[in-house]
Each structure stands twice: as C-alpha cells, then as structure tokens.
Amino acid sequence: MSLDQTNDAAFHEALIKEVLDQYPEKSAKKRGRHLNVSKTDDAGSSSCGVKSNVKSVPGVMTIRGCAYAGSKGVVWGPVKDMVHISHGPVGCGQYSWSQRRNYFTGTVGIDSFVTMQVTSDFQERDIVFGGDKNLEKMIDELNDLFPLNNGISVQSECPIGLIGDDIEAVSKKKSKDIEKPIVPVRCEGFRGVSQSLGHHIANDAIRDWVFEKTTAEWETGPYDVNLIADYNIGGDAWPSRRLLEEMGLRVIGSWSGDATLAEMERAPKAKLNLIHCYRSMNYICRHMEEKYNIPWVEYNFFGPTQIADSLRKIAAQFDDTIKANAEKVIAKYQPLVDAVIAKFKPRLEGKKVMLYVGGLRPRHVATAYDDLGMNIVGTGYEFAHNDDYQRTTHYVKDGTLIYDDVSGFELEKFIEKIRPDLVGSGIKEKYATQKMGVPFRQMHSWDYSGPYHGYDGFAIFARDMDMAINSPVWSKFKAPWKAA
C-alpha cells in the first residue's frame, strides 16, 4: 500500500488502519483503542484519544515490564545506602542488576549498594516450605557483611505472593533485631498490567514504612525543597540540583537517584516538592500534600525552553529574591544555549523523530527536540495512564501519531512507513531499528551517555542526536525497503 505523507494526520490514520488490518478482528478492535492521532477539536481542546493502563493483548508482543521492575528497578533500587534484596529466584535480580545507570556518590559495598545484586536465590525447596526463615538468616548475614548499611528493602518476586511468605512479619521482627529499618515491598511481578503498579506499590511502601515509622529531626528553612522522581540516570539529578541551588533553594532530598534513606525520612519537612517523573512518584507527592500540606510542582529540565519555563514556575512558589535569581540563572546559561543551537540546529533542523519510552520522556523530551528544530512525528508510552496522555497534548502538534503499549510489529511497521531520521526508545527496540537502517538513541538510559537534564545536559543531548543521525555509517548500507 502506498501512503501519502503530505497530510500527517490522514497519513497516520491510514497507517493505523493498515497495521490493524493484519490482526484478527477481535485483536484489531482491542489494539485500535491504543492507536490514534493527536488532534484539536472545534472547542479548542486537544486530545491524544488513546486507551491506556489496561492489559496487553495476549499473543501480541508487548515491551512493558512488571511490577517488580517498577519498584526495584525504578523507585527503590537507586536508594544508595540501603541493601535491596530481590526475594525470589535469581533470574529477576540478575535481570535488574545495575541496568539503569543510576549514578551515585559513595563506595560500593561500604556505604553504597546500588550496583550490587542481592538475591535470596529461591530453589524448589523454598517454594514448598517457604522462604521466611532463609530471609531472616539472609538479613543477619547482610548486616554482618555490610555493617554501614542504613536499612534493607525486600523486593518480592512472583513466587512470594503465590506461596504467601509473610515478608511484613519478617521485616518487623528483624528490624528490631538489627535496629535498622527494613521495608517489605509487595511488588510481585504478576500484579497489575505493567511496571506502573510497581511504582505505586513502592510509593505506598515509602508512605507506610518510612514516613510512618520515623520522626526525622531537621532544622527547616524557607527554601527547602525535595527533588523527587529523578533517578540520576547518567548523572541527571546533579545538574538539576545545581540549577535549583543557584536559584537559592536548598535541596534537602533528591530521591531516589543518589538518595539516602535519611533524605526520604526528612522529606515531609520540605516547603515544596518538585517532581520530575510524574508517573512514577505522583502518588507520594499527593500523599505529602494531603497529610503534610506540602504543595508539589511538576518540572521539565529537558531543553532550554522547558528549563526556563520550569525555573520560572518553581520560582513563582517563592519570594521575589528567588524569582530574581531564576532570571539570573537563565541569563547566565543563555550563551551556552545559543552556542549549542548555533552548532547543532543547522545539522538537525527538519529531522523527523519517533519516540517510544516509559514514564515521562515521550512528552518531556519533545521540546528539547523542538529547540533543535527537529519534528516529533510519533510518540507513545509503555505504561502511561490517561492523565499522562492529557499532559502530552501540550507538547505535540496536531497530526502526531500516538501509540500506547505498542507491539513490536506495530512499531516496526510505523518506522518502515514513516521512515524517521531518528528513533528514541529502549534496549529491546535498539538493534531491530538499527538493522532497518534507522539511527537510534536509547532514551531509557541515554545509551551510556548523559546527563541530559539541565543546560549542560542539553549540550550533551544535542551532540548525541547529531552523532546518531549524521554518522557516516548509515550511508554504507540500505534499509530493507530501500534495497527492495
């Protein structure tokens, strides 16, 4: 089928129909609710119009993760001074071992444990007789091996929920024995429809086992803020923290990237919560707003346009001193922004980009591409909820292809027909896309680069996109459809 790209909306709608025609009728009906085109109605209201946060269609290969991945891999794993036990068979812990490049300061095995893989290594006997006693023994051994740990989390894998191990009772008992917090997290992988429920469960564990169990002493100040849901991938949280401190704010907690348990414990003492990844930690921000009267603001430090908007939005929560400082910070980095755009925009302007990532980047990085003159032609989430897509309408233009929980077949067909200049997605999509002759950047972990947040990060981001798109390697072979 030959499709005309002169009208983006009509082209994308026809492309969706072509993809759905390949499915059995029942599957096509289900998947059709997850594919759409961004549009503005007659009343001026924008909509992405897709269904989200429901079960994937059986037999259709999904790219989602599980609840365990959402808790261990995202929320709890980056907390550096705690030992995180993957409670269950070795496979889940092995797969989650140091995969997201959550940078941290400290010495591995002494006071920082992010890159360590600790598992209870369930065997058949544990399935039959239960793993509670082994978990108790394991906690004692870990406390002897790593005496400077400040706490332990128990990240439960699927068998724990199936056989009914009482990890809460074990945690309460051993917490008294070793006189340190032990946090049980019921994040068995079978829970929910994606890793999103794992985020929620992990947030609830912070609420119930950190906030409710401690009364942290902290001398408060008028400019105390928490930096929440920045996982410091490639060092992202550090330039973000520097910008806030240059404004005159005091970051009393940055979690969970490069975070300590103490930072989480004193979080209710802040004056404002600043949330980066809305999907993964809006729950704990809402809880702190309801219980401790701490307001929260969602910010975006991808690209100079959103950085400036976010700094001003944050400053608006404080006095004129902070507002003036925000303008000084923006002005200070403007020469850097001008230099980056002058160098890379001529090389990238007009290039088409397709994104398919996790919790926030399908919308947050859109304006960073806009700042370089690039066009987002398609974007979607692995595990978004409806409010994520509502937020996305502010970042994308009408006619943008929107896909939720896209299958491998759908994504490859979209890439083949749209023929973007760049695809930004995860490791599972990287090599298939490159074999199609399309440049690719891993937008989960920055492809071993970063940071991408802040003004310094924008310079790295622009360089990496240029290297991907304009590498001479793409002229050495043809994509399959070009060869045909």
Side-chain angles (χ1 to χ4, degrees):
M1 176 180 178
S2 176
L3 299 176
D4 180 13
Q5 295 197 46
T6 55
N7 183 323
D8 283 346
F11 168 69
H12 291 154
E13 287 170 355
L15 179 54
I16 290 171
K17 183 179 183 306
E18 180 181 350
V19 167
L20 293 176
D21 284 345
Q22 307 304 311
Y23 287 125
E25 183 179 353
K26 186 175 181 180
S27 296
K29 185 177 180 180
K30 287 183 177 180
R31 283 303 305 153
R33 296 179 295 176
H34 297 266
L35 307 173
N36 210 331
V37 175
S38 179
K39 63 192 71 170
T40 302
D41 59 27
D42 294 336
S45 177
S46 298
S47 172
C48 288
V50 295
K51 190 79 173 174
S52 61
N53 197 37
V54 297
K55 289 182 179 179
S56 300
V57 177
V60 174
M61 187 66 78
T62 180
I63 302 168
R64 283 173 166 174
C66 67
Y68 164 84
S71 176
K72 164 63 163 60
V74 178
V75 177
W76 278 102
V79 181
K80 64 183 179 182
D81 63 342
M82 297 179 70
V83 177
H84 305 287
I85 299 173
S86 292
H87 189 35
V90 68
C92 299
Q94 172 71 16
Y95 182 73
S96 68
W97 188 0
S98 193
Q99 64 172 335
R100 296 197 76 216
R101 301 177 62 245
N102 307 105
Y103 283 8
F104 59 93
T105 56
T107 305
V108 176
I110 305 300
D111 58 359
S112 298
F113 311 95
V114 175
T115 55
M116 297 182 65
Q117 203 279 91
V118 180
T119 177
S120 51
D121 189 22
F122 256 48
Q123 303 297 314
E124 185 176 344
R125 64 179 180 277
D126 299 302
I127 301 296
V128 176
F129 298 109
D132 287 352
K133 289 184 172 57
N134 282 349
L135 180 60
E136 289 187 29
K137 182 180 179 182
M138 186 178 185
I139 290 171
D140 287 333
E141 290 178 352
L142 286 170
N143 203 46
D144 290 338
L145 285 169
F146 309 113
L148 296 185
N149 82 80
N150 287 324
I152 294 171
S153 80
V154 181
Q155 307 289 320
S156 54
E157 300 172 16
C158 287
I160 308 308
L162 295 173
I163 66 175
D165 271 11
D166 194 347
I167 61 173
E168 291 82 7
V170 173
S171 297
K172 288 178 182 177
K173 176 184 176 183
K174 298 310 296 181
S175 181
K176 292 178 181 177
D177 291 346
I178 68 173
E179 298 182 335
K180 292 177 182 177
I182 300 177
V183 180
V185 191
R186 284 282 181 186
C187 57
E188 293 89 354
F190 58 75
R191 296 181 183 274
V193 300
S194 71
Q195 55 264 58
S196 181
L197 184 60
H199 304 149
H200 200 158
I201 292 168
N203 280 226
D204 290 349
I206 295 171
R207 178 195 67 197
D208 297 338
W209 294 84
V210 177
F211 290 172
E212 298 298 326
K213 302 290 185 181
T214 59
T215 53
E217 294 184 6
W218 184 255
E219 187 176 338
T220 60
Y223 303 133
D224 290 354
V225 298
N226 289 313
L227 194 62
I228 292 179
D230 188 327
Y231 303 105
N232 207 33
I233 296 169
D236 277 339
W238 295 332
S240 300
R241 184 170 190 147
R242 284 196 300 270
L243 285 176
L244 297 171
E245 290 173 346
E246 284 186 54
M247 285 173 58
L249 303 178
R250 182 170 71 157
V251 180
I252 67 170
S254 176
W255 42 283
S256 60
D258 196 32
T260 63
L261 179 61
E263 288 180 87
M264 299 171 76
E265 290 173 339
R266 63 177 176 248
K269 307 291 185 181
K271 296 295 187 292
L272 179 69
N273 284 325
L274 305 175
I275 182 168
H276 180 62
C277 181
Y278 170 85
R279 180 72 277 132
S280 61
M281 280 199 169
N282 75 87
Y283 317 101
I284 199 66
C285 289
R286 294 179 189 277
H287 170 72
M288 284 193 273
E289 182 178 39
E290 293 170 2
K291 182 161 186 177
Y292 306 109
N293 297 315
I294 304 173
W296 57 276
V297 170
E298 186 180 1
Y299 72 96
N300 180 353
F301 279 175
F302 284 110
T305 299
Q306 286 301 324
I307 295 171
D309 286 351
S310 292
L311 290 176
R312 290 180 176 125
K313 183 167 65 172
I314 294 166
Q317 309 297 315
F318 296 96
D319 56 29
D320 290 341
T321 300
I322 300 299
K323 293 175 185 176
N325 287 347
E327 296 302 326
K328 291 177 183 176
V329 171
I330 295 167
K332 172 185 173 182
Y333 288 99
Q334 192 58 45
L336 170 63
V337 171
D338 293 341
V340 171
I341 291 177
K343 180 176 181 179
F344 292 106
K345 189 170 183 178
R347 298 171 59 83
L348 297 171
E349 194 164 16
K351 301 295 186 182
K352 296 185 297 185
V353 182
M354 285 180 63
L355 299 171
Y356 180 57
V357 211
L360 63 96
R361 297 183 188 104
R363 65 176 182 271
H364 267 202
V365 299
T367 44
Y369 287 108
D370 288 343
D371 290 332
L372 294 168
M374 304 171 76
N375 300 317
I376 303 296
V377 295
T379 192
Y381 300 82
E382 294 176 16
F383 50 81
H385 295 206
N386 287 338
D387 51 352
D388 291 298
Y389 284 105
Q390 291 169 2
R391 285 168 163 77
T392 303
T393 60
H394 304 298
Y395 289 92
V396 298
K397 69 180 188 300
D398 282 1
T400 302
L401 179 63
I402 306 295
Y403 31 82
D404 175 74
D405 186 28
V406 71
S407 69
F409 162 72
E410 293 162 1
L411 186 61
E412 288 186 24
K413 184 60 69 172
F414 292 153
I415 293 170
E416 177 186 336
K417 295 296 184 178
I418 294 173
R419 304 182 188 180
D421 299 290
L422 179 71
V423 173
S425 191
I427 189 66
K428 294 189 287 293
E429 300 77 64
K430 176 177 180 176
Y431 301 105
T433 301
Q434 289 179 332
K435 288 176 181 178
M436 297 170 75
V438 177
F440 186 95
R441 288 299 301 183
Q442 226 212 108
M443 297 304 288
H444 284 286
S445 63
W446 307 155
D447 245 332
Y448 320 107
S449 184
Y452 283 175
H453 293 184
Y455 290 105
D456 295 338
F458 177 63
I460 298 171
F461 171 83
R463 178 203 66 188
D464 287 355
M465 299 309 121
D466 176 52
M467 284 197 304
I469 291 176
N470 294 310
S471 169
V473 70
W474 306 113
S475 65
K476 303 302 180 184
F477 69 97
K478 291 183 179 181
W481 56 80
K482 291 182 179 179

